[in-house]
Structure formats: C-alpha cells, structure tokens
C-alpha cells in the first residue's frame, strides 16, 4: 500500500472535477429534452439526493476509519461474501472507466477526427491516464489541481463569451413541469453524476484531515449548483428547441461563439476542457479499479494491473456501437444500476456493521 | 583531509610500504620523488637551518606560490639566528610551527597523506631527525579573476559571477551573508580527482530533511572524477529520468544567496563556475534575477511575458501543424485563406515542413555555439538567407512556417535558465511529433502526459509544481506575480523553512 | 519496471499515433467553401447545390502570373442532400471543406416549399456552424452564385458584411437571421425574417476581368427585402423598410433610420441605442401587446430653415415618435391581416397564467385580436456640426 496523503483542497478538487467534469457537458441536453425550461431545477433535487447518499458513505467510512470500500467489504462480510462484493465494486469502477473512455472516443470521433478508429483514442488516452495511475494518487491529485485551474479559467472565459447570446425570452413557460413525471424521466441524473461519487469510498482513507466530510459535501453542493447553472446557461443561450435536439448542446454553444468576425470557432477550447475533465475523471475511476484489485488480491506492484486494465477498459469501451445506445442505456438502466452500488450495498454494509457492533457490545458487556 | 580507501594509487603505495623514517629523511624525499615519477615541477631544495639539522623543502612549483616560498619561507628559514637556540631535531617541528610566519601550517608522518597534500599545493619541510613532516600551505593555482557572469547577465544588479576557484566562490558568498548561521560543509568526492565540494545552507532556515537529503545524495556519489558541477548535478537529481531539471544551476552568487536565504541548499564544486541550488520548482524557472532589481509591477509583467514565451516556444510549432493539417476549422476564415494561399505549391506536408525548419534551426544554433567567433558572421548570413529568404522563394517552405520557427526560436531564448531552455527544445519536438501524428488530440495527450510527469516529480521532497499544485496560496506572491518586497514577509512555505516570517522578532 | 513501462508507453503511443494520419489533410488539399447555395430542380425535383470555392492562389503572395479569380463556383446535382456532398468529389479536385463558409443562399421556391429537411440535414453536420446567415434569393440561383463581386471579393463574406452594415445603418435587417434563429423558431409560432438577396442587373459577370472595371454597381449582390418564415416555410415577403419596423417592434433593431416631414421639410434621423420592452397585458378582456421603445437620435439631415432650439428639437422628436407609432400600428395591422404572428403572441398567450387568460387560451386565433400599443420615447443626442443652417438667398442677409 502506498502511503499517500491528500490535502482537503485536493480532495475537493478531485470530487468536484469528478462530479461536474463530464456531466456539465453530457447531461443538459437530456434534461432539457425532458423538462424543457425547468430543466435547471432537476440537478438541484438530484444533488440533494446525492448529498444524502454522500452522508451515508461518509458514515460508513467513519465507522471503518482508514479502510477503503474494498477493505470494508472484506472486513464486514468476511472474505468469501465480502470479496464478492468487493469484486462487484471493482467491476463497477472498471465499467465506469470504460464508460468515460467511450464518452471521450465518441466525442473525438464526431467532433474532431472522424476517420481515426475509436480504439486509438481510447488506448492513447488510457496510456496517458495509466501513467498517472501508475504514479499514484498524489500525482493524480496534483495534476488535477493544476488542470482544474486551467479548466475553470477557460470555462469562465468561454461562458462570458457565450452570454452574449443570452435571451430571457427563452425562459418563457418556466415553472410548469409535472414534478413526478420529470423526476421519473430524468432519473438517470441521480446515477450520473451524483451516485457515481460512491467511488470516493476508495479515496477517503487518503485524506488525513477531519475536514474530509465538509469538503466532500461542499464539493457535492458546488457540483449541484454548477450543473444547474450550466443547464440554465444552455437554456438561456441556446434555447429549449435547439438544446433538446442536439447531442452535445454545450459544444454547439461554443461552436457559435464569436468575437467580431475574426475570433470564431472556439470549440477547441471546449475540447480542451472536456478532455481535461475526462482525464481527471478517468484517472480517478481507473486508479480506484487498480487500487481495489491490489487491495483485494494483496498485490504490491500496480504496474502490471495498470497495463492489463488498459486492455480491459478499452475493450469494454467498445461495448456499444454509438451514442444513441449509450443515451438509451443510461436513461433506462443507469439509475437502477448505480443505485445498487451507491445505496443498496453501502446500506447493507452499514447494517451489518451495526449488527456486529451491537453483538460485540453484548458479548463484551458480560465480560466487563 | 579524509582519504579514500579505494584509491588505486594508494593501493600500490601499500606495496612499497614507505614509512617516514625520521633517521633517514633523504630516502623519504627520494621515495616521494619516485612515487611521483620524478616530475619536472617537483622542487627539492636542501638547506641547513640549524648547524646540525639539515632539512629539505619539497613543493610542486606548478601548484604553489613560488614568490611566497622564495621570499618568505626560504628567506625566513635561512636566517640562522632564528633557530640557533634549537639544537635537537625533535623540538624543531614545534619551534618551526610556532615561528614560521604562515597561517596554514600543520604536520604529519603519513606518507600517502604527504604525497596527496603535495599535490594540493603544500610545501613539505622534511627536517632530519624530526618525527613528523611539516606542511605549509602555499598553494596557488592559475585562476581567472572574478568577472561578469557569462550566461546570466542583468542590466541592474551585481555584475559578479562565480569563478572556477572554490575559495573565491565561498568568499563571494561570505561577503553577502555575514551571518553565523551560514554553514559550509566540505565534502570531497571523486576517487581520481579528489574534488572539493562545499555544501552550503543557513542552519536557521533550511529544513532538516532537505539538508539530510543533500548529504545523503552527496555521500552516495561513487565516481572516479568530478570535473564540473554538472557531474554532481546528475548524482543529486531525483532518480527518475526527466528532461526537467530539479536543481537550479547558476553562476551568480546573488541568485545562490537569495535561494539560501529562502531555505535552499547550495553546492559549490571546485573547478566549476556553476553552483547548484535545490530544492527548485517548475515555476521558479521563470524567475530571472532581474525581477528583484526592478520594481514589482514591471517584474510581474516580465514574468508573465516569460510564461507566455514558454508557451509560445513549446506549443507554436505543434499547434501550427495540428491546425494546418488536422483541425483547419479552428482557423479564422481570413487566416485560413491566407495560409492556404501561402501553402499553394509547397511540396511538403506541414509536419515535414516544420520538422525541416526546426532541425535546420537547431543545426544553425549548434553551429553558432561551436564555431570560432570569427566565423560568426558567415554563419549568420547563411542562416538568415537559408532560413528566411531562399527557402520561401524556392517554394520549399511557406512564409508562415518561417514566422512560426522564428517565434519559437526567439521565445526560447527568453528562458532565464539555459538548461530550462534546452528542456523546452525537447518538448517542442515531442509535441511537434504528437501533433503531426494525431493533431490536437495528440498534442493534448502530450500536454496531459507532461502535466502528470511534472506532478509526479519532486525536488528534494518539494513537489515540483508547487505552489500551484499542491496549492500554497501564500507562495503565489513570488511565483505568479512579484509583489513588492515589504509584502514578502513570510518565507516560501513550500520549502518548509524553519523560520516562517522574515521579520526579526 | 519503470523503464519497461516507459518503453511500452512510448512505443504504444507511437503506434497509436500513426493511425491519426488517416485524418490528416493539408490545408492546400482543401476546397474551402465560402458560399453555398441550394435549390431544387423544378423539373426533376433533384437537389442542386452550388459551392463557391475560395481560390487560395489568388491570395498567395507569389501569385504573379496565376489566376486572379478569387472564387470558383461548382454545381452539383443529386437525389438527396447527403449524396450531394459525396458527389462533389466527382467535380472538385480537392476535399470539400464546409466548416466555415460564411453564408448560405436558398431560392425563394425552395424556401416556400419548406426548409425542414434542409435544416435537419444542416444541424446534423458536426462541421457546420448554425451561426451563419441564411439568405433567400429571388433571382436565379445560378446567376447569384456565379457573379464576381468587387471590393469584397469573396461573395460569402460580402453577404455577411451586407447584413451587418445594413443592421448598423438602418436596422432593416436583423442580426438574428442566422440558420440557428430559424431553427430556434421551428417549434414556435414566432416568425423569422431572413434577408432577400438579389442580383442587380440582368446578367452575372462571369469573368474576373470585372475587377479592372470601375463600375462597381454592375451585377452586384444587393439586399432587397426580407422573407417571412413561419417555422420552416417562407410565407411572404416584406420590403426592407417594413422589415425595419418589424425589427424595431421585435426589439431586434439596435439602430433605426427614418425621415420625417416637418412643415414639408425633410428631417433625417438616425436612432441608435434603441431599447425595447415588450409585455403582453389584458385590457378590457382583450390582449394588448405593449411595446415601449427608447431611442437616442442623431440628426443626419435637417432641411428646416430654422435654427435648432429646444422647441424645435422637441418638435422633431415628437414628430418622429408619432410617425413611428402610426407606421408601426399600420404595419402591424397589415401583418395581422396576413395572419402573421410576428411576435409569437400565440405562444405568449398560451404561457400566460390566470383566469382572465384562460378564456383566450381556449379560443383559436385569439392572438389575432391582440392590439398593438407602442410608446416611443426618443431624445436627440447628436445634432451634427451646425446649429444654425446656412440660409442664403434673399431676405436672409443682413438688413
């Protein structure tokens, strides 16, 4: 086990980039299609649910200080059953990494280089990420810190330019949604990005400071607000009609930005933001998979695991053929799929832990 | 003076096993002469200082101050009156020690030590019958005087550079930091060259672990020769291979001092005008000495110019290639048309064109460094013509490409540190290749790779990207900007200095 | 281990990189489209597209002896839109590059038939930006696409400049006449106005020799009016002057120009910094569309013989406000007559809350009953260099 430490700020940056990194780009379109002008409200309740889930995870990790979810599984449920749970988690992380990788590939192929095969993007990017993973979580955290600044600055810059197209008229017809129906239709947002934060159960042990709780919750709150904000921007700048029809509405916004007639075509900045965001998110998911495998099978050297996972992830990333399948899948199953890992299993573990504690107390009490 | 056991010369001496025999000084002298293969510059001067006491004076006249020996030492020794009261040779050493008007004087009876010290410019006085040999340090090597620094010149500020002589260099430092806390530890390394090095730090500032790390790495030097501080630098660096230097090399005493005063640790190597300083972080390579001799606002502006030119020199060729041969949509329309117009008839793809021009430029630069100064003009004419005019007129390269290479080259020279400039050139080619193969995506992957690499580096346990990652906000005031002196009241926190505040409490 | 990893990484990346070259295309292998026009062949119902390709040779610094034609127009005909772009490879010696052409022209007939399929095709393409201007032409498309234009030699850019110039000078063409504005109104009832471009003169000029001809007016592209679109279909035409008013009412005109008559003498006024506030209210059960306009005026021409005074200036502004109000109401009435829902009132009513609106919401065509109520507040900011006009003539000299 490597002895690494993360500062509170680093942890905040990691959490925030993980949550907001790709979702600000991929979610608004679907939300707007479902909830029209009121789409910006959806992330707010989803985020609140996310914070509740985060509290559960934090509690679980507090009960088992210094242990990651894989170790908690084994400790709580014993090697055979716990090991199975741990494996489930590891597979979830790997699958998450594959998903993120595919997002990157789809985007690159559509937007920038249509002829280059998908796998090339995947493998190349996984190599870069693998390098970071091999170097360890501290390296990932430090790179994220630097990249986060660049990403935030570019994002704000692009945003300011995009606001030139702002029109309040596009909000005509606001506050008329059927909450229950919308919630059902947009249930995938609970899964992506908020419940995916369960992955941080792997990283809690690295933060020594007690402020881990507040920084994690704060990151959730900020992510919620930002996601709502970016949906809001999308509506105001692009309009509901177009946003609900586009695959990547945010990309369209940036495509159409111009300063005078000379500075046009700023979509490369968007590609930059997205790639950096994907890098951070992927390196976290990838690292957690590697770490989980190492912890489960007690492997000392991460190197070969890292290499092997490149192949596995890039293979899994080819699991579906196009974006439509991806969108459909996440709409239908994402919620149920992630809820298993983010709520059902942690609650189960929590329950078992409590039962054991009570039993231990009972057995201890007569003794003392 | 510590002796290395593994010295082969000494091993062979063990075979001869010559020991100083106080009754036979002549054979000792002869042994020394034989051992050194009777070099022409070994002077053996026999004299009688007291009626019964003959003695010999040995020195290498290439390493010693002959004037001093002749006018001071020998004339003193030949004044008979001084030693008439001493008759017994045994006492002679202590009497001589007390009376000879030299400050650096000692004695020993070890043969190898004697020979070694002879090679360091010591004059040996072998007194017949005395138990030990007297050493008088009269070393003087040819050295140049203190001059302006060659590679790091400033308009304002001290115009003094280190020289090849370690004592001169140390005196330059001592003059700047008149402080009891200035610690100079002497270390010798290199089994063949026996090079002196000095580890310098301020013991009330530099953090213990950093000093310890320096000591550890210096002690780990196992090499036969050290001819320059660059040799030491490679031993001092982190083990991981990296084009980025984790040690700053400077030939300016003021830079070394300023780092020492911020908790850094320096190493000076005898025979090299370049001192080494650590820990150093990535962003400190954008700091020029002049920043502190100019007003803060100008210094900040110039620092940003340096950041910008770093970006330019590293990214411009790669970006140009990526945009021109992959992502043309990113160009503004009018620029696209004008570049397309220029590229009409250019036979090479943009990547080949760029590589061609960059390599040509590198060759020219290398030629400019190596050739005799007198030929300088010739090469600059050829360079300017070949690179600029002719290539474009011949239709081999486009005008835009010439501008790209020119911008790259000029911004590369902005780098305050020469070694960092070379790193930039490596990066240029790395990015150029990625961009040529994969366009913007490749370039971005390369950048991410670089960022990860930088983030994984540490310089003596200080993360290389600090104070940005990990974020140390209070250190930003001398990295991203340069605030006026009165505001810099705290020492850089990333160095982990022992004192936190500059204010004397 | 580290070394192994590095070697693996480096060789892996290098191998991967090589496939990137499949996407490599040099800038001088591209046919950069500057202007594209599309129409449907009335006989065969085939799609026709004209690509105006920029000739980089004309912009090369060593273009001595090369052709000076800044653009070449290629015509491609095919069964479907997607096919056209592919078919272009049969005629174009270089790869078609549509990423940043500047304007798109469609024929009036095409527009009247509906642009839905065109817009969908257009929005699907990743490499096209919907922020470019869409024009309708009432001249034969082939003529419009095949004429050389002086001064601004790229017709695509010329059209773009025309729009922004007109918008600046008179506000008669809205800047919101881009493809994306049309798309945005696809699901709503709001009308979109797109500029109409026509070829001045009978015949296009096919030769680049025209650049040596002093007559700049000859066979040029000019804006002649605006086409009214409901969703994707063109439903009518208005003149530039009318369109100026519509833009003013819609709040899309930042500038405006109008001449007024004051005692039979002409005063030309240029309004800028125009701010528009719109609101739909109910008055006595009938919907009223309130438009409040504030404007800063500049006096461009004043044929009055009087000296400018406080009184005189307020007379001018009053007259200006009155004229704008009257004309607006007249034009609005005309639009209602033609069943043009200029401001998206239908939707506006639909989204209103409250019982009073419910009734209206149930009625069909309730929006047509909407009255227009315009209030204009203007003030003169700039009167030019002279306060007192030169009077000359008899009786004005010193007595």
């Amino acid at each position: 086990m490597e002895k690494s430490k993360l500062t509170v700020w680093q942890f905040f940056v990691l959490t925030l980039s993980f949550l907001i990194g790709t979702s600000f780009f991929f979610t608004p379109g679907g939300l707007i299609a479902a909830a029209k002008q009121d789409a910006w409200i959806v992330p707010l309740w989803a985020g609140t649910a996310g914070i509740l889930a985060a509290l559960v995870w934090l509690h679980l990790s507090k009960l088992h200080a210094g242990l990651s979810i894989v170790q908690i599984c084994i400790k709580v449920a014993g090697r055979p059953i716990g090991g199975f749970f741990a494996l489930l988690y590891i597979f979830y992380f790997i699958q998450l990494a594959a998903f993120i990788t595919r997002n990157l590939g789809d985007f690159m192929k559509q937007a920038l280089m249509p002829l280059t095969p998908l796998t090339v993007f995947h493998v190349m990017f996984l190599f870069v990420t693998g390098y970071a993973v091999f170097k360890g979580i501290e390296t990932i955290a430090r790179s994220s810190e630097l990249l986060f600044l660049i990403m935030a600055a570019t994002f704000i810059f692009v945003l300011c330019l995009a606001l030139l197209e702002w029109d309040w008229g596009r909000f005509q017809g606001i506050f008329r949604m059927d909450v229950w129906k919308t919630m059902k239709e947009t249930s995938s947002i609970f899964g992506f990005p908020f419940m995916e934060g369960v992955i941080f159960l792997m990283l809690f042990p690295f933060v020594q400071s007690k402020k881990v709780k507040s920084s994690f919750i704060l990151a959730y709150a900020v992510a919620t607000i930002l996601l709502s904000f970016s949906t809001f921007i999308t509506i105001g700048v692009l309009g509901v009609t177009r946003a609900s029809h586009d695959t990547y509405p945010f990309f369209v916004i940036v495509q159409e930005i111009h300063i005078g007639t000379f500075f046009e075509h700023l979509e490369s900045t968007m590609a930059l933001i997205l790639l950096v965001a994907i890098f951070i998110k992927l390196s976290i998911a990838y690292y957690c998979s590697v770490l989980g495998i190492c912890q489960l099978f007690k492997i000392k050297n991460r190197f070969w695991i890292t290499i092997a996972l490149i192949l596995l992830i890039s293979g899994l990333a080819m699991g579906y053929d196009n974006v439509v399948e991806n969108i459909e899948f996440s709409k239908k199953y994402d919620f149920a799929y992630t809820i298993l890992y983010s709520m059902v299993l942690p609650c189960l573990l929590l329950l078992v832990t409590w039962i054991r504690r009570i039993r231990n107390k009972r057995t201890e009490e007569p003794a003392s | 003076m510590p002796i290395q056991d593994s010295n082969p010369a000494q091993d062979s001496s063990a075979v001869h096993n010559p020991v100083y025999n106080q009754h036979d000084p002549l054979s000792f002298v002869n042994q020394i002469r034989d051992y050194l293969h009777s070099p022409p510059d070994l002077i053996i001067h026999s004299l009688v200082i007291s009626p019964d006491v003959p003695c010999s004076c040995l020195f290498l006249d290439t390493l010693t101050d002959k004037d001093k020996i002749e006018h001071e030492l020998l004339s003193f020794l030949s004044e008979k009156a001084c030693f008439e009261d001493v008759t017994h040779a045994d006492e002679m050493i202590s009497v001589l020690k007390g009376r000879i008007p030299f400050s650096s004087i000692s004695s020993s009876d070890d043969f190898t030590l004697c020979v070694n010290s002879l090679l360091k410019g010591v004059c040996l006085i072998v007194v017949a019958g005395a138990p030990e040999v007297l050493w008088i340090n009269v070393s003087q090597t040819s050295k140049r005087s203190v001059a302006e620094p060659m590679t790091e010149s400033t308009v304002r500020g001290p115009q003094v550079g280190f020289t090849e002589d370690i004592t001169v260099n140390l005196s330059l430092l001592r003059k700047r930091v008149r402080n009891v806390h200035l610690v100079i530890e002497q270390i010798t390394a290199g089994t063949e060259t026996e090079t002196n090095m000095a580890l310098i730090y301020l013991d009330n500032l530099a953090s213990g672990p950093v000093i310890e790390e320096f000591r550890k790495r210096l002690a780990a030097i196992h090499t036969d020769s050290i001819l320059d501080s660059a040799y030491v630098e490679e031993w001092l660096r982190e083990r991981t291979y990296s084009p980025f230097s984790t040690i700053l090399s400077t030939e300016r005493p003021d830079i070394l001092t300023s780092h020492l005063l911020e908790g850094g640790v320096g190493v000076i190597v005898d025979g090299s005008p370049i001192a080494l300083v650590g820990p150093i972080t990535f962003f400190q390579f954008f700091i020029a000495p002049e920043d502190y001799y100019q007003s803060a606002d100008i210094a900040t502006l110039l620092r940003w110019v340096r950041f910008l030119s770093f970006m330019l020199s590293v990214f411009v060729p790669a970006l140009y290639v990526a945009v021109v041969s992959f992502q043309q949509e990113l160009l503004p329309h009018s620029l696209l048309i004008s570049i397309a117009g220029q590229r009409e008839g250019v036979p090479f793809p943009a990547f080949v064109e760029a590589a061609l021009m960059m390599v040509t430029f590198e060759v020219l630069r290398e030629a400019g460094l190596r050739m005799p100064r007198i030929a300088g003009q010739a090469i600059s004419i050829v360079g300017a013509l070949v690179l600029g005019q002719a290539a474009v007129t011949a239709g081999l390269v486009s005008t835009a490409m010439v501008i790209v290479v020119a911008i790259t080259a000029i911004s590369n020279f902005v780098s305050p540190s020469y070694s960092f400039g070379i790193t930039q050139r490596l990066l240029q080619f790395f990015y150029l290749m990625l961009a040529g193969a994969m366009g913007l995506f490749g370039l971005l992957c390369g950048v991410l790779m670089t960022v990860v690499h930088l983030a994984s580096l540490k310089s003596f346990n200080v993360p290389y990207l600090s104070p940005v990652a990990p974020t140390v906000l209070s250190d930003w005031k001398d990295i991203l900007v340069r605030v006026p002196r009165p505001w810099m009241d705290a020492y850089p926190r990333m160095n982990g200095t022992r004192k936190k505040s500059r204010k004397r409490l | 281990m580290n070394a192994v990893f590095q070697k693996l990484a480096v060789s892996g990346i290098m191998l991967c990189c090589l496939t990137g070259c499949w996407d490599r295309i040099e800038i001088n292998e591209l046919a950069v489209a500057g202007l594209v026009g599309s129409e449907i062949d009335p006989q065969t119902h085939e799609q026709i597209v004209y690509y105006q390709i920029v000739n980089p040779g004309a912009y090369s610094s060593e273009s001595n002896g090369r052709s000076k034609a800044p653009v070449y127009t290629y015509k491609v005909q095919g069964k479907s839109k997607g096919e056209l772009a592919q078919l272009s490879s049969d005629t174009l010696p270089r790869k078609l590059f549509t990423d940043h052409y500047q304007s798109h022209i469609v024929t009036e007939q095409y527009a009247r038939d509906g642009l839905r399929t065109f817009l969908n095709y257009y929005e699907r393409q990743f490499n096209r930006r919907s922020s470019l201007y869409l024009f309708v032409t009432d001249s034969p498309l082939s003529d419009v696409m095949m004429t050389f234009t002086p001064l601004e030699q790229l017709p695509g850019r010329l059209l773009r400049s025309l729009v922004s110039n007109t918008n600046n000078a008179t506000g008669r063409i809205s800047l919101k006449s881009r493809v994306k504005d049309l798309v945005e109104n696809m699901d709503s009832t709001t009308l979109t106005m797109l500029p109409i471009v026509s070829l001045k003169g009978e015949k296009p000029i096919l030769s680049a020799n025209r650049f040596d001809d002093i007559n700049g007016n000859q066979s040029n592209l000019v804006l002649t009016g605006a086409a009214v679109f409901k969703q994707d279909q063109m439903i009518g035409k208005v003149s530039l002057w009318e369109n100026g008013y519509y833009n003013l009412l819609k709040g899309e005109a930042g500038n405006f120009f109008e001449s007024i008559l004051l005692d039979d003498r002409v005063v030309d006024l240029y309004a800028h910094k125009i701010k528009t506030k719109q609101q739909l209210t109910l008055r006595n059960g009938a919907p009223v569309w309130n438009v409040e306009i504030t404007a800063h005026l500049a006096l461009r021409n004043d044929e009055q013989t009087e000296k400018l005074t406080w009184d005189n200036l307020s007379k001018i502004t009053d007259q200006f406000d009155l004229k704008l109000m009257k004309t607006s109401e007249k034009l609005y009435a005309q639009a209602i007559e033609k069943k043009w829902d200029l401001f998206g009132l239908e939707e506006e009513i639909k989204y209103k809350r409250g019982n009073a609106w419910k009734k209206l919401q149930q009625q069909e065509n309730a929006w047509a009953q909407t009255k227009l109520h315009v209030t204009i507040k203007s003030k003169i900011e700039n009167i030019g260099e002279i306060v007192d006009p030169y009077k000359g003539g008899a009786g004005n000299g010193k007595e």
Side-chain angles (χ1 to χ4, degrees), chain B residues 60-361:
Chain B
L60 288 167
D61 75 343
T62 44
L63 289 178
T64 48
D65 189 350
K66 218 170 172 182
D67 265 10
K68 233 177 177 177
I69 296 175
E70 281 170 1
H71 293 120
E72 292 169 33
L73 181 65
L74 292 184
S75 71
F76 174 80
L77 288 178
S78 48
E79 262 177 51
K80 286 199 172 109
C82 290
F83 305 104
E84 268 173 357
D85 51 331
V86 188
T87 46
H88 205 276
D90 288 354
E91 294 166 35
M92 191 51 100
I93 293 295
S94 55
V95 173
L96 280 174
K97 257 187 177 175
R99 291 195 187 165
I100 293 180
F102 281 86
S103 58
S104 173
I105 210 164
S106 64
S107 57
S108 162
D109 65 345
D110 190 288
F111 176 80
T112 42
L113 216 58
C114 288
V115 177
N116 280 330
S117 55
L118 203 57
L119 290 172
K120 277 170 185 152
V122 165
C123 174
L124 298 178
I125 296 175
V126 185
V127 182
E132 286 181 315
V133 177
L134 198 68
W135 297 9
I136 299 163
N137 192 350
V138 281
S139 75
Q140 187 203 38
T141 45
S142 55
K143 59 189 173 194
R144 68 183 167 99
S145 56
V146 173
E148 269 184 52
M150 296 289 285
T151 53
E152 301 164 77
S153 53
T154 56
V155 177
R156 202 178 147 180
Q159 307 287 346
V160 177
F162 284 128
T163 68
E164 283 78 359
D165 190 80
I166 192 165
T167 45
V168 176
N169 292 350
L170 288 177
S171 81
L172 287 173
L173 273 187
R174 279 276 190 210
K175 220 162 81 185
R176 284 178 168 73
V177 191
R178 300 175 197 278
N179 192 331
V180 286
H181 294 294
L182 181 72
V183 179
I184 300 172
E185 290 177 17
Q186 196 175 26
I187 295 165
T188 311
T191 46
E192 296 287 344
T193 55
E194 295 269 323
T195 312
N196 279 334
M197 298 186 292
L199 179 69
I200 310 152
Y201 55 90
L202 285 165
D203 68 348
N204 61 339
L205 275 180
S207 87
V210 172
I211 301 171
E212 220 26 67
E213 193 66 34
F214 260 98
R215 283 204 196 109
K216 217 171 78 195
R217 291 189 194 169
L218 283 176
I221 297 180
H222 290 299
T223 181
D224 58 335
S225 60
I226 290 174
L227 296 182
D228 187 83
S229 58
Y231 288 46
V232 181
E233 187 180 347
E234 290 187 3
W235 286 95
L236 278 180
R237 281 169 70 147
E238 318 305 289
R239 287 290 107 192
T240 42
Y241 172 76
S242 168
F244 293 93
S245 178
T246 46
I247 291 177
L248 182 74
S249 47
T250 178
E251 59 168 332
R252 295 181 61 95
D254 52 328
I255 294 187
L256 178 56
T257 321
S258 72
H259 276 94
L260 293 181
L261 289 169
E262 295 195 332
V265 178
V267 173
I268 293 182
V269 178
D270 198 12
S272 165
I274 308 281
L276 306 173
V277 200
I280 190 92
T281 65
F282 179 71
F283 293 100
Q284 281 175 308
F285 281 104
F286 296 98
I287 299 177
E290 229 152 351
D291 285 2
Y292 300 103
Y293 307 134
Q294 273 166 341
S295 70
D297 38 9
I298 294 173
T300 304
L301 179 75
L302 290 178
R303 204 168 277 184
W304 281 95
V305 168
R306 270 176 240 130
F307 281 124
L308 177 76
S309 47
F310 168 73
M311 295 286 172
L312 285 179
S313 88
V314 168
F315 291 123
V316 163
L319 261 181
Y320 177 80
V321 168
V323 166
V324 165
S325 45
F326 287 91
Q327 272 86 35
Q328 292 90 355
E329 66 269 17
L330 303 183
L331 286 169
H333 188 62
S334 38
L335 191 60
L336 175 83
I337 293 172
S338 108
I339 290 181
Q342 287 169 29
R343 280 194 56 82
E344 279 296 296
V346 174
F348 306 113
F351 171 68
V352 176
E353 197 188 347
L356 202 76
M357 289 298 283
M358 304 262 297
V359 169
T360 317
F361 176 73

Side-chain angles (χ1 to χ4, degrees), chain A residues 241-242 245, chain C residues 114-121 123 179-192 229-233 347:
Chain A
T241 317
R242 290 190 68 208
H245 289 281
Chain C
L115 295 174
R116 192 179 55 80
T117 50
F118 164 76
L119 292 175
N120 271 327
Y121 170 74
E123 284 269 287
V179 175
K180 68 171 180 181
D181 299 309
L182 190 59
V183 175
E184 226 190 302
N185 288 338
M186 276 287 276
D187 291 352
S188 84
T189 56
T190 315
L191 299 186
T192 320
F229 276 80
K230 184 174 185 181
Q231 289 170 355
D232 62 311
Q233 218 163 7
E347 262 186 336

Side-chain angles (χ1 to χ4, degrees), chain A residues 126-347:
Chain A
L126 280 169
F127 258 113
V128 177
T129 326
Y131 180 57
V133 169
F134 177 67
K135 288 284 181 189
I137 187 71
E138 276 193 38
T139 300
I140 294 176
R142 280 199 295 264
S143 335
S144 309
E145 252 181 308
L146 178 71
L147 294 171
F148 180 76
L149 290 181
I150 299 172
M151 195 165 71
T154 325
F155 186 69
I156 291 168
F157 171 71
V158 169
L159 206 65
C160 292
L161 294 177
L163 287 181
L164 294 175
E165 286 284 317
W166 186 266
D167 181 4
W168 282 107
R170 292 180 173 126
F171 283 96
Q172 203 177 55
I174 200 170
F175 297 125
R176 289 166 187 274
M177 65 177 159
D178 178 350
V179 175
W180 185 239
K181 193 176 145 241
T182 323
M183 211 180 262
K184 251 184 177 169
E185 268 181 45
T186 58
S187 67
S188 66
I189 194 179
F190 289 100
F192 170 70
F194 292 109
M195 293 297 162
E196 285 180 355
V198 72
I199 203 164
F200 282 91
L201 271 173
M202 292 298 291
L203 300 183
F204 285 138
F206 289 118
V207 195
Q208 310 285 314
S209 165
K210 286 200 174 125
K211 284 187 198 149
V212 58
K213 195 168 175 178
S214 51
S215 93
F216 192 59
I217 298 292
L218 189 67
Y220 255 82
V222 174
T224 307
I225 291 164
L226 281 180
L227 196 57
S228 164
F229 183 64
S230 73
T231 316
F232 195 68
I233 296 283
T234 312
I235 299 170
V237 172
L238 202 59
V240 169
T241 317
R242 290 190 68 208
S244 53
H245 289 281
D246 282 322
T247 333
Y248 303 131
F250 231 90
F251 191 67
V252 176
I253 291 182
V254 184
Q255 265 189 331
E256 289 167 5
I257 286 178
H258 59 91
I259 316 170
T261 52
F262 189 77
F263 286 102
E264 293 175 303
H265 316 292
L266 294 173
E267 59 263 37
S268 60
T269 56
M270 199 64 220
L272 174 103
I273 296 176
L274 189 68
L275 242 69
V276 168
I278 288 180
F279 169 76
I280 298 177
K281 195 166 176 177
L282 181 60
S283 56
I284 293 172
Y286 192 174
Y287 179 78
C288 290
S289 332
V290 172
L291 187 68
I293 294 176
C294 286
Q295 284 176 349
L296 182 60
F297 299 105
K298 301 212 166 65
I299 297 166
K300 285 260 157 55
N301 197 325
R302 280 198 302 267
F303 177 72
W304 289 111
I305 307 290
T306 314
I307 293 286
L309 275 189
I310 290 182
L311 301 178
L312 184 58
I313 294 174
S314 61
L316 278 176
M318 303 303 285
Y320 53 90
D321 293 337
N322 51 44
V323 196
V324 178
E325 285 178 27
N326 183 359
I327 293 171
E328 287 271 302
F329 175 82
S330 48
K331 213 173 184 179
K332 281 183 188 154
Y333 309 111
D334 222 14
F335 179 66
Y337 182 62
T338 37
I339 214 86
L340 169 71
Y341 295 101
S342 57
M343 291 312 297
V344 177
L345 285 181
C347 286

Side-chain angles (χ1 to χ4, degrees), chain B residues 328 333 336-337 340 344, chain C residues 25-36 51-56 72 74 88-89 91-101:
Chain B
Q328 292 90 355
H333 188 62
L336 175 83
I337 293 172
E344 279 296 296
Chain C
I25 180 153
E26 290 304 318
I27 215 165
N28 42 352
E29 292 164 6
L30 291 177
V32 182
L35 173 69
V36 181
Y51 294 108
Q52 213 168 59
I53 306 296
V54 180
N55 172 22
Y72 297 112
Y74 289 85
S88 64
S89 57
T91 37
L92 285 173
R94 293 181 175 189
K95 190 176 175 249
L96 183 61
F97 179 77
T98 50
D99 282 56
H100 42 95
Y101 64 91

